[in-house]
Amino acid sequence: MKAHTLGAACLRVDDVLAVVNGTLQLRVAAEGPARDRITKTARIVAERVLRGETIYGVNTGFGDSCANAISESHQQALARNLVRFHGCATGALLSFEEATAVVAVRAAALARGYSGVRIELLEAMCALLNARIAPAIPCEGSVGASGDLTPLSYLAALLMGERSALLPDGSLLPGKEAVRRSEREPLALQPKESLALMNGTSVMTGLGCIAIARAQSIAHTACAITALMSAAMQGEPGHFDERICAAKPHPGQTLAARWIREALRGSGKATPLRIQDRYSIRCAPQVVGVLIDAIVEARRIHEIEINGANDNPLIDPESGEVLHGGNFYGGHVAHAMEMIKTQVANVADLLDRQLALVCNHSTNNGLPANLVAVTGSAATSHHGFKAMQISASALTAEALKLTVPASVFSRSTENHNQDKVSMGTIAARDALRICELTERVAAIALLGACQALELRNPDSADGLLRRVREVSEFNRADREYDREIAVLATAIRNNALGCGNWESP
């Protein structure tokens, strides 16, 4: 098992995904500058409190209550109560993978050594991750500044041995039992620690890492589907010529065109039936290319956020100063997720339009209407992919509806202390939902493309078509497709169809 030492090197998006998949463990440095920074800032907090200095959230109330002075005898209770009164999240639980990403991202932020937490806290977080235990976090309740307070309270509560834990199989475990399964004891959080755990952008960022990975697979799959559609409709492969991209060299467009060209190589050669295909085929590199470039930018933003200290206040490990600011504001992650939302939905729309082309006898260059394979008089009682197209249109419409930017719905809350907030967590949840819808659109479009290609060329040796046929037969007569859609959507989500591995343009 590979291991990553927190604080010693940046944790990348791919590292977070490896932790989620159980192929990478996180650990705290046994010695060195990273460990020294963490230890030093925890000591600075303790010393300043002993001297009677005021530190927000340690010996003051929270948010609009920051003018309330908290006596030493109540500071431990303040730390516990912060966790407890934020236990008001609602909605479905984050998946085990999503909650694991949240913990990994939060550990990376705290390991920067600006948060005033003890080594023991980070070690307890690593122990949970390495034991494949995650907090059970309801998905709703964050406005994205002061970070993800309410959902992150479920991580803090689990470390205290409270609430519930989530296991890889989706089952729940009482918090105390889960902590002990990780070979630790429940922590008594120190005054700064509950605030440091909760006052950050790690829910939106963890979810964002997963959305980025799913968007990558969608981009690859869309290029592969475009190649199948082009071949099935005997389209013009010259639309994907590298010289066209060189004349307007957006990196994502160039890479998408290359992926389509590579996928077309296994489809055989045929004389194009039109000098120019319709836009949903011809402009596919330009559409998917925007998504690829958005992914690159979203990865850059997320890797800064993952490795940034994003709680408040921060402790300068060099001077010992307490710095009050707003790094918990999730505006950059919100921006990244709005990009992913919009461009993934655009790809859903692209694939929906391709499916419409291939199903329509007036635009599919000689294929049967609705891709019906039945011939003779019996053909009139079959409708092939007619309902599949309706489902794809419904899924696409829902995805497009969700592209409305979440960040512009900032709401003043908490007695107008949090009067400008990012809504980054809502944007990340929207991005995941749009990915889910688009994976299903892609599954339907892929089934349609394979049907069309076999109708055009029954002897096609296309590798993707053969992989699809392992789970879905050629449609010889009307039948249900719901199971096959679900199986293929999951395969697309997990990048399991062999459409390619991510590479930066």
Side-chain angles (χ1 to χ4, degrees):
M1 177 75 69
K2 293 183 178 179
H4 176 97
T5 302
L6 289 168
C10 287
L11 193 71
R12 305 295 184 188
V13 168
D14 290 339
D15 297 325
V16 174
L17 298 172
V19 174
V20 168
N21 294 331
T23 58
L24 180 70
Q25 291 193 335
L26 298 185
R27 64 188 180 195
V28 182
E31 57 183 14
R35 188 181 184 93
D36 292 345
R37 279 196 309 274
I38 297 165
T39 303
K40 186 176 181 180
T41 54
R43 186 175 65 248
I44 289 168
V45 171
E47 290 172 349
R48 283 182 170 270
V49 171
L50 280 175
R51 292 199 297 265
E53 298 179 27
T54 300
I55 301 178
Y56 168 76
V58 176
N59 48 22
T60 75
F62 301 110
D64 185 58
S65 303
C66 64
N68 295 346
I70 309 298
S71 66
E72 183 180 353
S73 62
H74 292 109
Q75 288 168 16
Q76 202 81 41
L78 179 75
R80 289 194 304 271
N81 290 341
L82 177 66
V83 177
R84 289 172 179 166
F85 80 77
H86 273 284
C88 56
T90 63
L93 295 179
L94 299 183
S95 69
F96 175 81
E97 292 76 15
E98 291 163 353
T100 297
V102 169
V103 180
V105 169
R106 194 80 211 117
L110 296 181
R112 294 294 296 161
Y114 290 92
S115 300
V117 302
R118 295 168 295 160
I119 290 288
E120 290 85 350
L121 176 63
L122 283 162
E123 289 174 338
M125 294 173 73
C126 291
L128 286 175
L129 288 168
N130 298 338
R132 306 293 285 160
I133 296 168
I137 305 175
C139 67
E140 298 164 352
S142 175
V143 295
S146 298
D148 292 309
L149 286 168
T150 292
L152 282 173
S153 76
Y154 289 78
L155 167 58
L158 177 57
L159 292 167
M160 293 164 56
E162 299 182 7
R163 299 185 199 165
S164 299
L166 187 63
L167 300 181
D169 64 1
S171 61
L172 295 173
L173 200 63
K176 187 174 291 186
E177 183 181 340
V179 171
R180 287 176 176 159
R181 187 178 289 196
S182 73
E183 300 182 353
R184 310 286 297 187
E185 288 296 320
L187 280 175
L189 296 178
Q190 296 302 302
K192 176 71 168 66
E193 290 178 336
S194 57
L195 182 60
L197 279 164
M198 295 166 54
N199 189 204
T201 58
S202 299
V203 174
M204 66 182 83
T205 306
L207 298 183
C209 289
I210 293 176
I212 287 168
R214 291 172 70 171
Q216 291 170 182
S217 182
I218 287 167
H220 272 294
T221 305
C223 290
I225 292 170
T226 297
L228 289 174
M229 292 288 192
S230 177
M233 289 190 286
Q234 216 164 308
E236 171 55 77
H239 297 326
F240 316 116
D241 194 302
E242 59 189 322
R243 291 169 294 182
I244 295 173
C245 297
K248 192 179 78 168
H250 287 295
Q253 172 185 322
T254 301
L255 184 56
R258 175 161 70 79
W259 288 346
I260 296 170
R261 288 197 306 273
E262 290 172 351
L264 275 169
R265 286 174 190 159
S267 300
K269 292 186 177 180
T271 302
L273 296 179
R274 292 168 57 95
I275 189 172
Q276 289 192 157
D277 295 326
R278 290 172 175 82
Y279 284 16
S280 62
I281 301 295
R282 193 194 333 166
C283 300
Q286 287 79 6
V287 176
V288 181
V290 182
L291 172 58
I292 292 171
D293 286 336
I295 289 167
V296 172
E297 178 64 3
R299 286 175 71 97
R300 184 191 70 80
I301 288 170
H302 275 67
E303 288 179 353
I304 292 172
E305 199 77 28
I306 291 166
N307 299 285
N310 48 63
D311 54 297
N312 173 62
L314 300 178
I315 313 301
D316 184 342
E318 303 304 322
S319 69
E321 290 180 85
V322 178
L323 308 172
H324 294 90
N327 277 4
F328 49 68
Y329 187 86
H332 281 88
V333 177
H335 169 61
M337 289 295 96
E338 309 289 24
M339 286 193 299
I340 295 296
K341 282 169 54 175
T342 302
Q343 300 314 324
V344 169
N346 261 312
V347 169
D349 190 43
L350 177 81
L351 297 176
D352 180 53
R353 294 301 83 214
Q354 290 181 357
L355 185 64
L357 283 183
V358 81
C359 286
N360 189 331
H361 71 280
S362 66
T363 59
N364 65 16
N365 297 338
L367 293 170
N370 298 309
L371 307 178
V372 172
V374 179
T375 57
S377 61
T380 56
S381 65
H382 292 265
H383 293 82
F385 275 67
K386 184 184 287 285
M388 292 279 270
Q389 189 190 343
I390 295 170
S391 288
S393 293
L395 294 163
T396 300
E398 187 172 345
L400 294 170
K401 176 179 71 69
L402 290 171
T403 60
V404 175
S407 58
V408 299
F409 288 95
S410 174
R411 309 296 301 153
S412 182
T413 189
E414 199 254 303
N415 295 325
H416 298 297
N417 175 55
Q418 298 181 27
D419 59 351
K420 175 61 179 169
V421 293
S422 75
M423 299 300 182
T425 313
I426 295 174
R429 288 172 44 226
D430 283 347
L432 287 169
R433 175 61 177 158
I434 289 172
C435 285
E436 180 179 44
L437 292 162
T438 303
E439 288 154 1
R440 293 169 185 168
V441 173
I444 294 171
L446 178 56
L447 287 164
C450 289
Q451 178 80 3
L453 185 59
E454 282 198 285
L455 284 167
R456 179 77 69 185
N457 178 11
D459 299 319
S460 174
D462 184 272
L464 179 56
L465 183 150
R466 300 273 75 81
R467 289 189 290 277
V468 170
R469 289 291 170 251
E470 293 174 6
V471 298
S472 177
E473 296 179 354
F474 179 73
N475 186 325
R476 303 185 186 281
D478 282 357
R479 59 179 172 84
E480 64 275 11
Y481 262 109
D482 47 6
R483 184 193 64 83
E484 289 133 292
I485 294 168
V487 170
L488 286 175
T490 299
I492 291 166
R493 173 180 181 172
N494 296 327
N495 195 29
L497 289 175
C499 294
N501 294 314
W502 176 254
E503 53 185 290
S504 289

